[in-house]
């Protein structure tokens, strides 16, 4: 009997994995709209196309010149195809001067409402290697929109129009191209229980694993930690708002380190100092200063900087109401404002003063009028001040002989094969699961509590009353197991989805190895928790002896199926709130069609597919088959319905006496 049970458990475990794989494949298809893997950029004439997700870390450069079509052309077109992580191997892009002019963004409004102008096209300037450009302005001035447009990270849409010219080293960059840049968003999320070194090791191996040996990868990680001052925190977990780990400044520096793995020539940051105290903000900008001094081009949106942070920058672009208010050196902005009639007092910092000058007043009508006049005056002066600024050609215009560059992402492939992806993802997922002490304690308490409650209420024997009691207990176990597994997965997956989304978009790994690794990493703890629950409920309730191992296998399989359902809900939901609002409806439908509350024959035709996918139904049937097969009941005592002599008689009441556990497992697959 023991040998048979072991074989049975092995079959159940393998089947569980196969069943879960199938559900995950469905999940992957449903999640494509959420976990976008980026798009392939191809040049098609002058048609505008941009991919929101391509970054320098996916890239490898090869340069080619467009074929001569036999006709004279006024400019030379150059296509730079970017793949993987070798941007720095192209000498022409080892350092980059970025120019921009006439950047205009309009958002189409509903109905007949006029289009909303986010940027009005007046912006003109450049950012050079070895220099730091600060983009500043009041809230809603278009700062983040500008850097996303500059980087080519605004997705093609019928609702938004992006216009303007960009230049790389004085050569026009085609509209569909992205800058070879690292782009660090304002909020960057990480897996909280991974250490700094593990986080960098994970990314370096996935990006460069097929190209570099372990010692070379270790050198990259070590150098990045040294450069960004993270060596002392190498073995500290990253943490988040709920898990104590790195400080806010250290997390910002870690996000920069992750983007510097491919050593891109341009670094663009969206408010890297927001949410940090003055000391941490200064530390971040000090490291950016070091990167600029090493030859990088640094462009950063800065919100209300301290004077010490402000002084780290070389150049300044001021925006307000979508208009350019100033472009030039930071050292000259104070005198510029003074010449226009807006002098700064000695006890006021330059950054504070210029923000006051370019902010609209919300006072009475007279104050608003004066504010509008001031902004118009500053905008006109800014346009005039950059008239002489040129980008290779005459006054920034494309002239004969000036080349046009197309930077296109030819491939968006991981730097590691699918087996290495799975291995790395499995290790990370297992660490996240096993290191989450609070989550483990909560789940442990849940299992112990449920086992004690169910075992304290139900005492089943071999009398006629115990027949329905057994069915009731098994139904509660199936419902409770699904409830907890789906809810916990929804809460955890919606939090990590933003991290996975970015990693997949950067081409670090594919959908299948991620979900397989996540699924299999859950099995050990799921098995432990179900064993603890079974060890409590089995003797207390008096369930059939000799079926304990099968009981554990079935409850583990049922939990894994519930987690798969939770992943599907989490994948298609934009937030945890939406996912949790879908969850109750799903539970209710599963309970209604659990095989006891309504017969399949009386189910409305349009809903007859629901019992076939009801997790509660198949979990309940599997547990019932395992429990009742082989049982014999006494004919003494009060009866509830027809006399039941054997477990098969009891199973016939619900119409699945002829089914086997194999049928249940196959159905869940």
């Amino acid at each position: 009997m023991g040998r048979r049970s072991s074989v049975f458990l092995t079959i159940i475990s393998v089947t569980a994995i196969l069943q879960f794989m199938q559900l995950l494949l469905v999940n992957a298809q449903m999640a494509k709209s959420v976990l976008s893997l980026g798009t392939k950029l191809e040049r098609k004439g002058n048609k505008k196309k941009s991919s929101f997700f391509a970054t320098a870390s996916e890239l490898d450069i090869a340069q080619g010149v467009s074929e001569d079509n036999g006709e004279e052309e006024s400019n030379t077109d150059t296509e730079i195809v970017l793949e993987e992580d070798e941007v720095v191997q192209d000498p022409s892009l080892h350092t980059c001067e970025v120019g921009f002019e006439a950047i205009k963004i309009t958002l189409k409004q509903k109905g007949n409402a006029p289009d909303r102008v986010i940027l009005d096209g007046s912006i003109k300037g450049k950012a050079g290697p070895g220099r730091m450009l600060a983009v500043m302005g009041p809230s809603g001035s278009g700062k983040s929109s500008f850097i996303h447009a500059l980087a080519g990270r605004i997705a093609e849409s019928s609702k938004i129009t992006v216009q303007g010219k960009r230049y790389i080293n004085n050569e026009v960059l085609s509209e569909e191209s992205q800058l070879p840049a690292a782009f660090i968003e304002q909020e960057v999320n990480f897996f909280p229980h991974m250490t700094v070194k593990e986080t960098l090791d994970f990314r370096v191996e996935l990006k460069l694993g097929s190209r570099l040996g372990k010692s070379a990868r270790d050198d990259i990680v070590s150098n990045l930690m040294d450069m960004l001052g993270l060596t002392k925190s190498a073995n500290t977990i990253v943490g988040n708002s709920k898990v104590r780990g790195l400080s806010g400044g250290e997390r910002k520096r870690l996000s920069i380190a992750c983007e510097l793995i491919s050593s891109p020539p341009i670094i663009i940051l969206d408010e890297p100092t927001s949410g940090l105290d003055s000391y941490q903000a200064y530390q971040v900008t000090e490291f950016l200063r070091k990167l600029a001094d090493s030859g990088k081009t640094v462009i950063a949106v800065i919100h209300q900087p301290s004077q010490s942070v402000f002084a780290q920058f070389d150049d300044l672009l001021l925006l307000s109401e979508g208009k350019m208010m100033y472009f030039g050196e930071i050292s000259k902005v104070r005198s510029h404002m003074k010449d226009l009639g807006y002098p700064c007092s000695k006890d006021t910092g330059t950054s504070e003063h210029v923000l006051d000058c370019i902010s609209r007043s919300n006072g009475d009508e007279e104050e608003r009028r004066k504010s509008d006049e001031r902004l118009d005056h500053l905008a006109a002066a800014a346009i005039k001040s950059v008239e002489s600024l040129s980008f290779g050609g005459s006054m920034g215009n494309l002239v004969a002989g000036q080349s046009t560059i197309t930077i296109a992402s030819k491939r968006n492939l991981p730097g590691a094969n699918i087996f290495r992806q799975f291995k790395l993802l499995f290790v990370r997922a297992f660490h996240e699961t096993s290191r989450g002490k609070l989550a483990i304690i909560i789940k442990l308490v849940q299992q112990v509590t449920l086992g004690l409650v169910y075992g304290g209420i139900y005492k089943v024997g071999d009398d006629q009353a115990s027949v329905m009691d057994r069915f009731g207990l098994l139904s509660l176990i199936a419902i409770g197991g699904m409830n907890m597994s789906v809810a916990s997965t929804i809460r955890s997956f919606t939090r990590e989805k933003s991290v996975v989304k970015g990693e997949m978009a950067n081409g670090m790994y594919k959908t299948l190895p991620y979900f397989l690794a996540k699924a299999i990493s859950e099995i050990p703890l799921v098995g432990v928790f179900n064993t603890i629950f079974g060890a409590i409920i089995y003797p207390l309730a008096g369930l059939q002896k000799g079926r304990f191992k099968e009981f554990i296998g079935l409850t583990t399989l049922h939990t894994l199926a519930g987690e798969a359902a939770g992943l599907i809900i989490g994948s298609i939901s934009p937030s945890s709130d939406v996912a949790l609002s879908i969850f109750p409806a799903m539970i209710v439908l599963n309970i209604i069609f659990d095989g006891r509350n309504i017969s399949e024959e009386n189910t409305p035709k349009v809903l007859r597919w629901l019992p076939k996918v009801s997790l509660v139904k198949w979990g309940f049937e599997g547990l019932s088959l395992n429990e009742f097969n082989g049982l014999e009941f006494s004919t003494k005592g009060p009866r509830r319905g027809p006399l039941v002599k054997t477990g098969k008689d009891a199973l016939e009441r619900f119409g699945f006496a002829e089914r086997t556990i194999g049928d249940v497992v196959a159905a869940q697959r």
Side-chain angles (χ1 to χ4, degrees):
M1 182 66 185
R3 186 175 179 182
R4 286 171 53 195
S5 299
S6 299
V7 172
F8 176 80
L9 276 180
T10 302
I11 295 172
I12 286 292
S13 300
V14 173
T15 307
I17 294 173
L18 294 174
Q19 173 266 348
F20 205 46
M21 287 172 59
Q22 186 169 349
L23 282 173
L24 293 175
L25 287 172
V26 175
N27 187 13
Q29 294 297 321
M30 298 180 69
K32 276 186 178 179
S33 62
V34 180
L35 303 178
S36 174
L37 300 180
T39 58
K40 180 179 178 182
L41 290 179
E42 295 179 354
R43 189 174 179 208
K44 295 182 179 180
N46 294 322
K47 183 179 178 181
K48 179 161 71 173
K49 180 184 286 187
S50 61
S51 166
F52 189 83
F53 292 117
T55 65
S57 63
E58 311 156 0
L59 311 174
D60 175 29
I61 295 184
Q63 183 170 329
V65 180
S66 60
E67 296 181 0
D68 186 2
N69 59 8
E71 300 178 5
E72 287 190 356
E73 294 180 301
S74 62
N75 66 302
T76 302
D77 289 343
T78 301
E79 183 173 14
I80 297 180
V81 181
L82 301 180
E83 305 173 2
E84 306 294 333
D85 300 291
E86 298 180 0
V87 171
V88 295
Q89 292 187 9
D90 190 288
S92 67
L93 293 184
H94 186 70
T95 58
C96 289
E97 180 184 82
V98 181
F100 48 88
E101 66 174 334
I103 304 297
K104 184 176 182 179
I105 302 177
T106 55
L107 183 64
K108 188 175 182 180
Q109 302 293 298
K110 294 181 179 180
N112 297 323
D115 293 345
R116 178 189 170 192
V117 178
I118 299 174
L119 297 175
D120 71 344
S122 63
I123 300 174
K124 184 178 182 181
K126 63 171 61 176
R131 299 182 69 83
M132 293 173 62
L133 170 63
V135 182
M136 291 175 53
S139 298
S141 59
K143 304 184 296 296
S144 293
S145 298
F146 165 71
I147 61 171
H148 278 85
L150 180 63
R153 292 171 63 94
I154 296 181
E156 184 180 14
S157 171
S158 59
K159 295 183 179 181
I160 192 166
T161 303
V162 182
Q163 298 173 313
K165 289 183 179 179
R166 298 171 297 157
Y167 303 85
I168 289 287
N169 295 336
N170 292 324
E171 296 182 334
V172 177
L173 187 64
S174 62
E175 291 182 350
E176 69 268 25
S177 297
Q178 293 196 336
L179 292 181
F183 196 103
I184 294 92
E185 296 283 1
Q186 182 176 351
E187 293 293 334
V188 180
N189 297 314
F190 297 98
F191 281 81
H193 296 101
M194 296 285 285
T195 67
V196 171
K197 188 176 185 305
E198 288 171 343
T199 300
L200 289 173
D201 281 336
F202 174 82
R203 289 173 177 256
V204 168
E205 187 163 356
L206 281 176
K207 288 183 177 182
L208 306 175
S210 61
R211 301 183 179 190
L212 301 177
K214 188 178 187 307
S215 60
R217 296 196 302 269
D218 290 342
D219 288 342
I220 291 176
V221 172
S222 179
N223 291 335
L224 285 172
M225 290 192 296
D226 287 341
M227 182 190 303
L228 290 160
L230 294 170
T231 303
K232 292 183 179 179
S233 305
N235 296 316
T236 303
I237 63 171
V238 177
N240 56 21
S241 58
K242 295 181 179 180
V243 179
R244 186 175 180 179
L246 298 179
S247 65
E250 288 173 325
R251 275 199 292 271
K252 290 282 186 181
R253 299 203 300 271
L254 177 59
S255 66
I256 296 171
C258 290
E259 295 298 330
L260 291 180
I261 291 172
S262 56
S263 189
I266 305 168
I267 302 168
I268 303 176
L269 307 98
D270 190 2
E271 299 196 20
T273 61
S274 294
L276 306 180
D277 58 38
S278 58
Y279 175 72
Q280 290 178 333
Y282 179 76
Q283 280 192 316
V284 171
T285 51
E286 187 179 34
F287 286 114
L288 294 177
R289 179 73 264 170
K290 291 179 180 178
L291 291 173
D293 292 340
S294 69
K296 306 293 185 184
T297 302
V298 179
I299 303 171
V301 172
I302 300 295
H303 183 65
Q304 294 181 337
S306 64
Q307 194 60 32
S308 60
V309 169
F310 187 68
Q312 295 284 341
F313 290 85
D314 304 292
D315 303 306
L316 176 64
L317 173 64
L318 294 177
L319 302 178
S320 182
E321 307 278 320
K323 302 176 182 179
M324 183 175 69
M325 298 287 120
Y326 174 80
F327 173 77
E329 295 181 16
I330 279 183
S331 59
K332 297 179 180 179
V333 66
R334 200 176 181 108
S335 60
H336 175 80
M337 293 296 178
K338 182 180 179 180
D339 294 342
L340 294 177
Y342 311 108
C344 177
S345 61
K346 294 182 179 180
D347 58 347
T348 303
T350 305
S351 62
E352 182 182 353
H353 174 67
V354 297
L355 286 174
D356 288 341
C357 290
I358 66 174
S359 297
R360 182 181 294 278
S361 174
N362 293 321
D364 56 29
E365 185 176 347
E366 180 64 19
E367 289 181 354
R368 291 196 298 271
R369 184 186 65 78
K370 291 181 178 180
S371 175
D372 291 341
E373 290 179 355
R374 182 180 71 252
L375 294 180
D376 291 341
H377 185 201
L378 290 172
I383 293 174
K384 187 175 181 181
S385 69
V386 296
E387 285 180 348
S388 60
L389 189 65
S390 63
F391 308 97
S394 175
M395 305 299 288
N397 295 319
L398 186 63
V399 296
Q402 185 178 3
S403 62
T404 299
I405 290 179
T406 296
I407 299 179
S409 177
K410 185 178 179 181
R411 293 188 300 167
N412 194 21
L413 301 177
N417 61 46
I418 192 169
F419 300 105
R420 180 176 286 180
Q421 292 174 45
F422 171 79
K423 174 189 172 183
L424 294 171
L425 290 164
F426 173 80
V427 171
R428 183 177 70 172
F430 184 75
H431 283 168
E432 277 297 306
T433 303
S434 60
R435 292 175 182 175
K437 294 180 181 179
L438 180 59
I440 290 175
I441 292 173
I442 291 174
K443 290 180 180 180
L444 182 61
V445 171
Q446 287 177 336
Q447 296 295 335
V448 172
T449 302
L450 278 179
L452 292 174
V453 170
Y454 291 166
I457 295 174
Y458 286 91
K459 303 290 183 183
V460 295
D462 62 353
D463 58 353
Q464 294 295 303
S466 292
V467 174
M468 294 307 297
D469 289 348
R470 288 177 191 268
F471 279 123
L473 174 59
L474 298 176
S475 176
L476 287 175
I477 292 173
I479 294 171
M482 177 194 166
N483 193 342
M484 288 188 295
S485 61
V486 173
S488 63
T489 304
I490 286 175
R491 292 190 185 95
S492 62
F493 181 67
T494 48
R495 287 194 297 268
E496 74 177 55
K497 186 170 67 175
S498 61
V499 184
V500 174
K501 176 181 176 180
E503 291 175 344
M504 286 187 176
N506 286 335
M508 291 172 61
Y509 50 82
K510 296 300 182 181
T511 307
L512 181 60
Y514 165 73
F515 280 109
L516 287 178
K518 183 171 179 61
I520 297 174
S521 69
E522 298 281 347
I523 293 177
L525 279 179
V526 168
V528 169
F529 290 139
N530 281 286
T531 300
I532 293 172
F533 172 75
I536 296 172
I537 186 67
Y538 226 80
L540 289 181
L543 296 176
Q544 183 181 178
K545 295 179 180 180
R547 297 278 183 166
F548 179 72
K549 291 182 180 180
E550 290 84 350
F551 177 84
I552 299 303
L554 287 168
T555 53
T556 299
L557 174 61
H558 181 60
T559 302
L560 291 175
E563 289 184 350
L567 286 173
I568 293 176
I569 296 174
S571 297
I572 64 176
S573 301
S575 67
S576 58
D577 292 336
V578 174
L580 290 173
S581 67
I582 297 174
F583 172 58
M586 175 187 175
I587 290 294
V588 169
L589 287 174
N590 271 270
I591 293 174
I592 291 174
F593 298 101
D594 68 350
R596 297 194 313 152
N597 292 307
I598 185 171
S599 64
E600 189 172 343
E601 294 77 15
N602 291 329
T603 301
K605 290 184 179 180
V606 295
L607 300 178
R608 286 187 179 176
W609 59 274
L610 284 173
K612 298 178 181 179
V613 298
S614 173
L615 298 179
V616 174
K617 169 185 169 62
W618 295 114
F620 168 66
E621 285 196 12
L623 292 173
S624 298
L625 289 168
N626 179 64
E627 176 65 19
F628 280 92
N629 278 327
L631 278 182
E632 294 184 359
F633 293 96
S634 170
T635 58
K636 299 178 181 179
R639 280 193 263 166
R640 295 181 181 178
L643 182 65
V644 174
K645 295 182 178 180
T646 64
K648 186 174 181 180
D649 294 338
L651 293 173
E652 286 178 348
R653 288 191 180 185
F654 297 102
F656 45 81
E658 301 302 322
R659 287 203 178 117
T660 65
I661 293 179
D663 295 333
V664 173
V665 173
Q668 287 188 303
R669 288 176 56 194

